[in-house]
Amino acid sequence: MAFCVRIKEPVNAEVNIQEFIQVCAFTTTPTDKETYVLVALGDRNQVDDIDFVFSEGTSIEFNEVGVHIFNDVILNTCANIMGTFKKPGEYIFNVALLEQDTNELLDVEVAVVKVFKS
């Protein structure tokens, strides 16, 4: 059984311009495993420099250490997110797919967004 998590993000982004981001979780075979996705900022000091919302408008909050957990992830779907970066710099996102009950790491992906000021 294979699981994977993927993030589709802009490689380069402009400060204060909203960007489209997707976080997807997949499996190659049917499973009853319940999963969640953990997103951790590479630099927790950037938590106030990003503004992320689901495409329908629900805010995505990162905690004080730069982590957000997407609970009850439905496999073979994607979360559509609108993201705004408030300061220039390099933003690193560590995205992990984990099994709900055991916290077993099923897959991980690292994404980097370079944000510039025009």
PDB file of all heavy atoms in Angstrom, residues 80-98:
ATOM      1  N   ASN A  80      -8.018  23.126  -1.497  1.00  0.00           N
ATOM      2  CA  ASN A  80      -7.706  24.320  -2.281  1.00  0.00           C
ATOM      3  C   ASN A  80      -7.563  25.503  -1.329  1.00  0.00           C
ATOM      4  O   ASN A  80      -8.468  25.796  -0.554  1.00  0.00           O
ATOM      5  CB  ASN A  80      -8.808  24.582  -3.310  1.00  0.00           C
ATOM      6  CG  ASN A  80      -8.894  23.467  -4.327  1.00  0.00           C
ATOM      7  OD1 ASN A  80      -7.880  23.005  -4.832  1.00  0.00           O
ATOM      8  ND2 ASN A  80     -10.098  23.017  -4.611  1.00  0.00           N
ATOM      9  N   ILE A  81      -6.422  26.169  -1.423  1.00  0.00           N
ATOM     10  CA  ILE A  81      -6.052  27.213  -0.472  1.00  0.00           C
ATOM     11  C   ILE A  81      -5.632  28.464  -1.230  1.00  0.00           C
ATOM     12  O   ILE A  81      -4.982  28.385  -2.271  1.00  0.00           O
ATOM     13  CB  ILE A  81      -4.885  26.713   0.413  1.00  0.00           C
ATOM     14  CG1 ILE A  81      -5.328  25.473   1.201  1.00  0.00           C
ATOM     15  CG2 ILE A  81      -4.364  27.808   1.332  1.00  0.00           C
ATOM     16  CD1 ILE A  81      -4.187  24.696   1.821  1.00  0.00           C
ATOM     17  N   MET A  82      -5.989  29.605  -0.679  1.00  0.00           N
ATOM     18  CA  MET A  82      -5.504  30.883  -1.177  1.00  0.00           C
ATOM     19  C   MET A  82      -4.520  31.414  -0.135  1.00  0.00           C
ATOM     20  O   MET A  82      -4.867  31.518   1.047  1.00  0.00           O
ATOM     21  CB  MET A  82      -6.659  31.868  -1.396  1.00  0.00           C
ATOM     22  CG  MET A  82      -7.715  31.365  -2.380  1.00  0.00           C
ATOM     23  SD  MET A  82      -7.063  30.859  -3.990  1.00  0.00           S
ATOM     24  CE  MET A  82      -6.463  32.410  -4.624  1.00  0.00           C
ATOM     25  N   GLY A  83      -3.303  31.708  -0.567  1.00  0.00           N
ATOM     26  CA  GLY A  83      -2.265  32.139   0.363  1.00  0.00           C
ATOM     27  C   GLY A  83      -1.681  33.485  -0.012  1.00  0.00           C
ATOM     28  O   GLY A  83      -1.461  33.767  -1.191  1.00  0.00           O
ATOM     29  N   THR A  84      -1.446  34.301   1.001  1.00  0.00           N
ATOM     30  CA  THR A  84      -0.806  35.597   0.805  1.00  0.00           C
ATOM     31  C   THR A  84       0.413  35.676   1.720  1.00  0.00           C
ATOM     32  O   THR A  84       0.322  35.358   2.907  1.00  0.00           O
ATOM     33  CB  THR A  84      -1.784  36.745   1.147  1.00  0.00           C
ATOM     34  OG1 THR A  84      -2.964  36.595   0.359  1.00  0.00           O
ATOM     35  CG2 THR A  84      -1.152  38.102   0.860  1.00  0.00           C
ATOM     36  N   PHE A  85       1.537  36.064   1.138  1.00  0.00           N
ATOM     37  CA  PHE A  85       2.776  36.235   1.886  1.00  0.00           C
ATOM     38  C   PHE A  85       2.966  37.727   2.131  1.00  0.00           C
ATOM     39  O   PHE A  85       2.920  38.521   1.191  1.00  0.00           O
ATOM     40  CB  PHE A  85       3.956  35.651   1.108  1.00  0.00           C
ATOM     41  CG  PHE A  85       3.807  34.183   0.839  1.00  0.00           C
ATOM     42  CD1 PHE A  85       3.170  33.722  -0.306  1.00  0.00           C
ATOM     43  CD2 PHE A  85       4.282  33.251   1.746  1.00  0.00           C
ATOM     44  CE1 PHE A  85       3.020  32.367  -0.551  1.00  0.00           C
ATOM     45  CE2 PHE A  85       4.139  31.888   1.511  1.00  0.00           C
ATOM     46  CZ  PHE A  85       3.502  31.449   0.365  1.00  0.00           C
ATOM     47  N   LYS A  86       3.184  38.115   3.380  1.00  0.00           N
ATOM     48  CA  LYS A  86       3.219  39.531   3.743  1.00  0.00           C
ATOM     49  C   LYS A  86       4.615  40.143   3.700  1.00  0.00           C
ATOM     50  O   LYS A  86       4.743  41.365   3.704  1.00  0.00           O
ATOM     51  CB  LYS A  86       2.624  39.719   5.139  1.00  0.00           C
ATOM     52  CG  LYS A  86       1.178  39.269   5.230  1.00  0.00           C
ATOM     53  CD  LYS A  86       0.684  39.388   6.651  1.00  0.00           C
ATOM     54  CE  LYS A  86      -0.684  38.777   6.797  1.00  0.00           C
ATOM     55  NZ  LYS A  86      -1.109  38.769   8.202  1.00  0.00           N
ATOM     56  N   LYS A  87       5.653  39.312   3.689  1.00  0.00           N
ATOM     57  CA  LYS A  87       7.031  39.812   3.672  1.00  0.00           C
ATOM     58  C   LYS A  87       7.852  39.013   2.665  1.00  0.00           C
ATOM     59  O   LYS A  87       7.614  37.820   2.479  1.00  0.00           O
ATOM     60  CB  LYS A  87       7.675  39.677   5.054  1.00  0.00           C
ATOM     61  CG  LYS A  87       7.099  40.589   6.099  1.00  0.00           C
ATOM     62  CD  LYS A  87       7.867  40.456   7.390  1.00  0.00           C
ATOM     63  CE  LYS A  87       7.311  41.387   8.451  1.00  0.00           C
ATOM     64  NZ  LYS A  87       7.984  41.188   9.736  1.00  0.00           N
ATOM     65  N   PRO A  88       8.861  39.653   2.052  1.00  0.00           N
ATOM     66  CA  PRO A  88       9.737  38.898   1.150  1.00  0.00           C
ATOM     67  C   PRO A  88      10.604  37.912   1.939  1.00  0.00           C
ATOM     68  O   PRO A  88      10.816  38.079   3.132  1.00  0.00           O
ATOM     69  CB  PRO A  88      10.592  39.977   0.485  1.00  0.00           C
ATOM     70  CG  PRO A  88      10.450  41.199   1.312  1.00  0.00           C
ATOM     71  CD  PRO A  88       9.206  41.061   2.134  1.00  0.00           C
ATOM     72  N   GLY A  89      11.062  36.884   1.256  1.00  0.00           N
ATOM     73  CA  GLY A  89      11.947  35.906   1.874  1.00  0.00           C
ATOM     74  C   GLY A  89      11.666  34.517   1.336  1.00  0.00           C
ATOM     75  O   GLY A  89      10.913  34.336   0.381  1.00  0.00           O
ATOM     76  N   GLU A  90      12.286  33.534   1.953  1.00  0.00           N
ATOM     77  CA  GLU A  90      12.108  32.139   1.564  1.00  0.00           C
ATOM     78  C   GLU A  90      11.248  31.458   2.617  1.00  0.00           C
ATOM     79  O   GLU A  90      11.552  31.513   3.807  1.00  0.00           O
ATOM     80  CB  GLU A  90      13.463  31.462   1.456  1.00  0.00           C
ATOM     81  CG  GLU A  90      13.392  30.051   0.922  1.00  0.00           C
ATOM     82  CD  GLU A  90      14.768  29.471   0.668  1.00  0.00           C
ATOM     83  OE1 GLU A  90      15.332  28.892   1.619  1.00  0.00           O
ATOM     84  OE2 GLU A  90      15.274  29.602  -0.462  1.00  0.00           O
ATOM     85  N   TYR A  91      10.164  30.847   2.178  1.00  0.00           N
ATOM     86  CA  TYR A  91       9.239  30.158   3.063  1.00  0.00           C
ATOM     87  C   TYR A  91       9.316  28.664   2.772  1.00  0.00           C
ATOM     88  O   TYR A  91       9.139  28.242   1.631  1.00  0.00           O
ATOM     89  CB  TYR A  91       7.803  30.646   2.839  1.00  0.00           C
ATOM     90  CG  TYR A  91       7.589  32.080   3.242  1.00  0.00           C
ATOM     91  CD1 TYR A  91       8.014  33.130   2.429  1.00  0.00           C
ATOM     92  CD2 TYR A  91       6.958  32.398   4.441  1.00  0.00           C
ATOM     93  CE1 TYR A  91       7.815  34.454   2.792  1.00  0.00           C
ATOM     94  CE2 TYR A  91       6.751  33.720   4.818  1.00  0.00           C
ATOM     95  CZ  TYR A  91       7.187  34.742   3.982  1.00  0.00           C
ATOM     96  OH  TYR A  91       6.983  36.052   4.355  1.00  0.00           O
ATOM     97  N   ILE A  92       9.610  27.884   3.798  1.00  0.00           N
ATOM     98  CA  ILE A  92       9.722  26.430   3.657  1.00  0.00           C
ATOM     99  C   ILE A  92       8.530  25.795   4.361  1.00  0.00           C
ATOM    100  O   ILE A  92       8.207  26.139   5.508  1.00  0.00           O
ATOM    101  CB  ILE A  92      11.042  25.919   4.254  1.00  0.00           C
ATOM    102  CG1 ILE A  92      12.227  26.543   3.510  1.00  0.00           C
ATOM    103  CG2 ILE A  92      11.108  24.390   4.209  1.00  0.00           C
ATOM    104  CD1 ILE A  92      13.576  26.290   4.153  1.00  0.00           C
ATOM    105  N   PHE A  93       7.863  24.866   3.655  1.00  0.00           N
ATOM    106  CA  PHE A  93       6.721  24.147   4.209  1.00  0.00           C
ATOM    107  C   PHE A  93       7.041  22.658   4.217  1.00  0.00           C
ATOM    108  O   PHE A  93       7.331  22.077   3.173  1.00  0.00           O
ATOM    109  CB  PHE A  93       5.462  24.398   3.369  1.00  0.00           C
ATOM    110  CG  PHE A  93       5.044  25.832   3.346  1.00  0.00           C
ATOM    111  CD1 PHE A  93       5.508  26.689   2.359  1.00  0.00           C
ATOM    112  CD2 PHE A  93       4.200  26.337   4.321  1.00  0.00           C
ATOM    113  CE1 PHE A  93       5.134  28.026   2.343  1.00  0.00           C
ATOM    114  CE2 PHE A  93       3.818  27.667   4.316  1.00  0.00           C
ATOM    115  CZ  PHE A  93       4.278  28.514   3.321  1.00  0.00           C
ATOM    116  N   ASN A  94       7.012  22.055   5.396  1.00  0.00           N
ATOM    117  CA  ASN A  94       7.169  20.613   5.539  1.00  0.00           C
ATOM    118  C   ASN A  94       5.760  20.036   5.674  1.00  0.00           C
ATOM    119  O   ASN A  94       5.057  20.345   6.636  1.00  0.00           O
ATOM    120  CB  ASN A  94       7.996  20.301   6.789  1.00  0.00           C
ATOM    121  CG  ASN A  94       9.381  20.899   6.688  1.00  0.00           C
ATOM    122  OD1 ASN A  94      10.174  20.471   5.886  1.00  0.00           O
ATOM    123  ND2 ASN A  94       9.659  21.916   7.482  1.00  0.00           N
ATOM    124  N   VAL A  95       5.370  19.226   4.707  1.00  0.00           N
ATOM    125  CA  VAL A  95       4.008  18.698   4.653  1.00  0.00           C
ATOM    126  C   VAL A  95       4.079  17.184   4.842  1.00  0.00           C
ATOM    127  O   VAL A  95       4.721  16.489   4.053  1.00  0.00           O
ATOM    128  CB  VAL A  95       3.344  19.040   3.302  1.00  0.00           C
ATOM    129  CG1 VAL A  95       1.911  18.554   3.265  1.00  0.00           C
ATOM    130  CG2 VAL A  95       3.415  20.549   3.048  1.00  0.00           C
ATOM    131  N   ALA A  96       3.422  16.695   5.905  1.00  0.00           N
ATOM    132  CA  ALA A  96       3.490  15.266   6.230  1.00  0.00           C
ATOM    133  C   ALA A  96       2.091  14.669   6.261  1.00  0.00           C
ATOM    134  O   ALA A  96       1.158  15.275   6.784  1.00  0.00           O
ATOM    135  CB  ALA A  96       4.163  15.069   7.583  1.00  0.00           C
ATOM    136  N   LEU A  97       1.962  13.480   5.701  1.00  0.00           N
ATOM    137  CA  LEU A  97       0.732  12.691   5.788  1.00  0.00           C
ATOM    138  C   LEU A  97       0.961  11.631   6.856  1.00  0.00           C
ATOM    139  O   LEU A  97       1.934  10.872   6.782  1.00  0.00           O
ATOM    140  CB  LEU A  97       0.417  12.028   4.442  1.00  0.00           C
ATOM    141  CG  LEU A  97      -0.830  11.153   4.387  1.00  0.00           C
ATOM    142  CD1 LEU A  97      -2.096  11.975   4.621  1.00  0.00           C
ATOM    143  CD2 LEU A  97      -0.903  10.423   3.044  1.00  0.00           C
ATOM    144  N   LEU A  98       0.086  11.611   7.862  1.00  0.00           N
ATOM    145  CA  LEU A  98       0.246  10.690   8.988  1.00  0.00           C
ATOM    146  C   LEU A  98      -1.025   9.884   9.216  1.00  0.00           C
ATOM    147  O   LEU A  98      -2.129  10.345   8.921  1.00  0.00           O
ATOM    148  CB  LEU A  98       0.595  11.464  10.259  1.00  0.00           C
ATOM    149  CG  LEU A  98       1.929  12.199  10.177  1.00  0.00           C
ATOM    150  CD1 LEU A  98       1.700  13.691  10.133  1.00  0.00           C
ATOM    151  CD2 LEU A  98       2.813  11.830  11.319  1.00  0.00           C
TER     152      LEU A  98
END
